[in-house]
Amino acid sequence: MDLTQLEVFAAVAEEGSVTAAAERLHRVPSNISTRIKQLEEELGTLLFHREKLRLHISDPGKTFLSYTKRILALAEEAKQSVSGQRPNGIFTLGSIESCAAVRIPPVLARYHQAYPDVELDLSTGPSGDMIDGILSGQYSAAFVDGPPKHPELEGVPVFDEEMVLIAALNHPAVNRAKDISGSTIYAFRANCSYRRLFENWFANDQAVPGKIHEMESYHGIVACVTAGAGLALIPASMLDSMPGKSGVKIYPLGNEMGKIKIWLMWRKGSASANQKAMVTLLEAMN
């Protein structure tokens, strides 16, 4: 038996006649009759009792109908799952640390409520790792600072962010990069775009940072800055969410260098139903 036979059987059972089922399926009545006869021969039982122009489903037919509906529903679910017609399955997301901590928790909560069939799998890390993950197929999409610079990436801007310089409370005022040229700074690894922004800020003022201590968390960075061990660049939204924010001075970067946008990015041509649903949700929330 095949799905076409099952569709024909279900239509006849629901319509009660070959003619009505033929009209519903856009087939000729003889084709419907042949399909039903073949199915009954294959199953070795009568699925219908014939009475003039009407067909009455038999007890074996009623049993078979319940299985038929389940099989057809499962087949449709499988079709939609692989064709990307509705959000479902695993959705692998990447995100830079600050965005994962501050920006996207309410987004993911709303997404889960709207699409409970989607299993969200979130990973965090430096922007360089996130970009590599998108290109390699590890992530379906990722929240990173934009716009996309790789030709194989596309996306949409979703959040405004500002990077701010932080220093200890007893540190002299900082008006430009030259004021802290040679100073110790704290940052993430070299593949972090925020670290590159910090280094470019120094370079644009013909200044250079001193020793760069690589850290693994913003909490560790803020703790070191609070202690007066050095300076750092941190997202304002991340700092605002931290209990140690009162222990540092905050300075904006000159020439609007600190104003950036967070994008949801994905590989060109690979937009899935899960990703499209995320974009729609983000647009609605903004």
Side-chain angles (χ1 to χ4, degrees), residues 67-270:
Y67 284 100
T68 295
K69 288 181 176 180
R70 287 156 59 186
I71 293 170
L72 292 175
L74 187 60
E76 180 62 23
E77 180 181 333
K79 178 181 177 181
Q80 290 182 355
S81 177
V82 299
S83 65
Q85 294 178 6
R86 69 177 184 180
N88 68 94
I90 298 176
F91 186 19
T92 52
L93 275 174
S95 176
I96 53 178
E97 297 280 354
S98 57
C99 187
V102 179
R103 300 288 191 178
I104 64 175
V107 175
L108 298 184
R110 287 274 296 274
Y111 189 94
H112 178 68
Q113 290 175 350
Y115 308 104
D117 292 336
V118 177
E119 180 182 342
L120 290 167
D121 183 359
L122 178 67
S123 299
T124 62
S127 54
D129 289 356
M130 298 298 100
I131 295 297
D132 291 343
I134 300 172
L135 294 172
S136 68
Q138 181 180 358
Y139 306 126
S140 299
F143 292 93
V144 292
D145 54 299
K149 296 179 177 63
H150 194 284
E152 290 300 314
L153 295 179
E154 60 184 353
V156 292
V158 291
F159 305 117
D160 292 320
E161 186 60 271
E162 181 179 8
M163 303 299 296
V164 294
L165 179 73
I166 58 173
L169 293 177
N170 61 355
H171 193 282
V174 180
N175 298 307
R176 54 187 294 186
K178 279 189 175 180
D179 292 341
I180 56 171
S181 186
S183 296
T184 297
I185 67 171
Y186 290 86
F188 285 105
R189 300 193 301 272
N191 61 347
C192 172
S193 60
Y194 292 169
R195 172 170 169 172
R196 292 194 295 271
L197 174 63
F198 203 7
E199 292 171 338
N200 289 339
W201 179 69
F202 276 97
N204 287 348
D205 200 24
Q206 298 181 331
V208 292
K211 183 174 179 59
I212 301 176
H213 290 282
E214 294 186 350
M215 305 291 286
E216 295 296 328
S217 74
Y218 283 112
H219 288 84
I221 288 174
V222 171
C224 290
V225 172
T226 300
L231 301 95
L233 193 69
I234 184 171
S237 62
M238 184 70 194
L239 180 63
D240 191 55
S241 71
M242 301 174 69
K245 64 181 179 180
S246 61
V248 297
K249 286 183 179 179
I250 303 171
Y251 301 95
L253 298 188
N255 300 319
E256 299 290 300
M257 279 193 69
K259 300 295 179 64
I260 63 173
K261 285 189 178 292
I262 304 299
W263 285 56
L264 178 66
M265 296 186 196
W266 57 89
R267 194 179 184 109
K268 284 184 178 178
S270 66

Side-chain angles (χ1 to χ4, degrees), residues 10-18 20-22 24 54-55:
V12 173
E14 291 166 359
E15 298 294 339
S17 78
V18 169
R24 170 173 156 181
R54 298 292 300 174
L55 294 179

